[in-house]
Amino acid sequence: MIKLSTGIPIVRWLLGSLLLVHSVSFAQAVDGQHLLKQRLSQLKTFQANFSQRVTDAHKTLLQEAEGNIVLQYPNQLYWRLHEPNDNVLVADGLTLWQLDPFMEQVVAVDQKAAIDNNPLILLTNPNDKAWLEYNISEKNNQFVITPKSQQGEIAKLVLSFDGANLVAMQIIDGQQQVSDLVFTDIQQNHKVEQALFKFVVPEGYELDDQRAP
């Protein structure tokens, strides 16, 4: 598994399944899910730059980074951390690709398996049946997403909106390590560059193909 410079696997906090949190009632979860799906149904594309801070359970800073993200309906994602933490993640609808320039390595996994446990990729498809696997609560335009299973390493995903704009995201793992992302230069429902989702393994890179044969 490719890791960030802090030793945090990108798929651990970005693409892992989440632990169940029992703090919301069933009625709240249903209302929150309806509101979030309604909000996302109007979001065909999302582009933004972001700043990221990663802290541990004692609020010690582990990493600061910057990058950019592009989401497109259905099920397409481009995620990049800029140097010195250069790392690229691409979901093209079939395969999830992770590129590590430092290691000159690419990992490929079946995207369907990732989508089933990945609320971030689900942002590109509000009608996916996998939404039924999550509890969602909402308060003051902030959505808390938690799973109905206990198989993942991430404890909670929080999405914050300002009006219709997604402006921030927080990911908390089982060890209370927190990744805070703040989005800037936000463009919603603008045309995106389709080449971003057409991944080609760079020449000289090693491919770790974990897709089912």
Side-chain angles (χ1 to χ4, degrees), residues 136-172:
I136 303 171
S137 64
E138 185 273 338
K139 185 177 181 180
N140 298 327
N141 228 8
Q142 188 175 78
F143 294 84
V144 178
I145 304 171
T146 58
K148 297 178 181 179
S149 69
Q150 300 184 15
Q151 300 178 354
E153 297 182 11
I154 305 293
K156 182 165 55 177
L157 172 67
V158 181
L159 302 175
S160 299
F161 287 81
D162 181 4
N165 286 336
L166 177 63
V167 295
M169 179 168 65
Q170 183 182 77
I171 306 103
I172 304 174

Side-chain angles (χ1 to χ4, degrees), residues 90-97 107-112 209 211:
V90 177
D92 62 16
L94 296 175
T95 298
L96 183 66
W97 306 90
V107 176
V109 299
D110 288 322
Q111 187 173 324
K112 179 57 180 174
D209 195 341
R211 293 170 292 184

Side-chain angles (χ1 to χ4, degrees), residues 12 40 48 57 73 107 168 181:
R12 172 181 167 188
L40 295 176
Y73 178 91
V107 176
L181 296 100

Side-chain angles (χ1 to χ4, degrees), residues 1-179:
M1 184 181 294
I2 301 171
K3 298 183 178 181
L4 297 175
S5 59
T6 59
I8 307 165
I10 227 176
V11 289
R12 172 181 167 188
W13 59 267
L14 181 61
L15 299 173
S17 50
L18 309 177
L19 296 172
L20 176 63
V21 173
H22 298 280
S23 60
V24 298
S25 69
F26 176 76
Q28 287 174 314
V30 171
D31 290 343
Q33 184 176 94
H34 175 75
L35 288 172
L36 182 57
K37 291 178 69 174
Q38 186 179 56
R39 184 73 55 81
L40 295 176
S41 68
Q42 303 174 17
L43 187 64
K44 304 305 181 184
T45 68
F46 176 84
Q47 304 174 73
N49 297 323
F50 64 82
S51 59
Q52 173 196 334
R53 285 174 55 88
V54 181
T55 55
D56 64 16
H58 305 290
K59 298 185 179 181
T60 300
L61 180 64
L62 301 178
Q63 182 191 59
E64 288 185 302
E66 295 183 346
N68 62 290
I69 182 173
V70 182
L71 294 168
Q72 177 173 262
Y73 178 91
N75 303 325
Q76 292 181 310
L77 164 71
Y78 176 87
W79 169 280
R80 179 164 190 167
L81 288 180
H82 298 161
E83 295 181 354
N85 307 296
D86 203 8
N87 204 293
V88 178
L89 197 68
V90 177
D92 62 16
L94 296 175
T95 298
L96 183 66
W97 306 90
Q98 186 177 353
L99 180 147
D100 187 334
F102 179 76
M103 298 294 293
E104 294 189 345
Q105 184 181 37
V106 173
V107 176
V109 299
D110 288 322
Q111 187 173 324
K112 179 57 180 174
I115 289 175
D116 288 342
N117 297 305
N118 176 16
L120 181 61
I121 292 184
L122 283 175
L123 298 184
T124 68
N125 194 346
N127 297 316
D128 197 296
K129 292 181 180 179
W131 277 109
L132 298 176
E133 302 302 317
Y134 298 91
N135 288 321
I136 303 171
S137 64
E138 185 273 338
K139 185 177 181 180
N140 298 327
N141 228 8
Q142 188 175 78
F143 294 84
V144 178
I145 304 171
T146 58
K148 297 178 181 179
S149 69
Q150 300 184 15
Q151 300 178 354
E153 297 182 11
I154 305 293
K156 182 165 55 177
L157 172 67
V158 181
L159 302 175
S160 299
F161 287 81
D162 181 4
N165 286 336
L166 177 63
V167 295
M169 179 168 65
Q170 183 182 77
I171 306 103
I172 304 174
D173 73 11
Q175 288 72 46
Q176 297 303 299
Q177 189 163 272
V178 180
S179 294

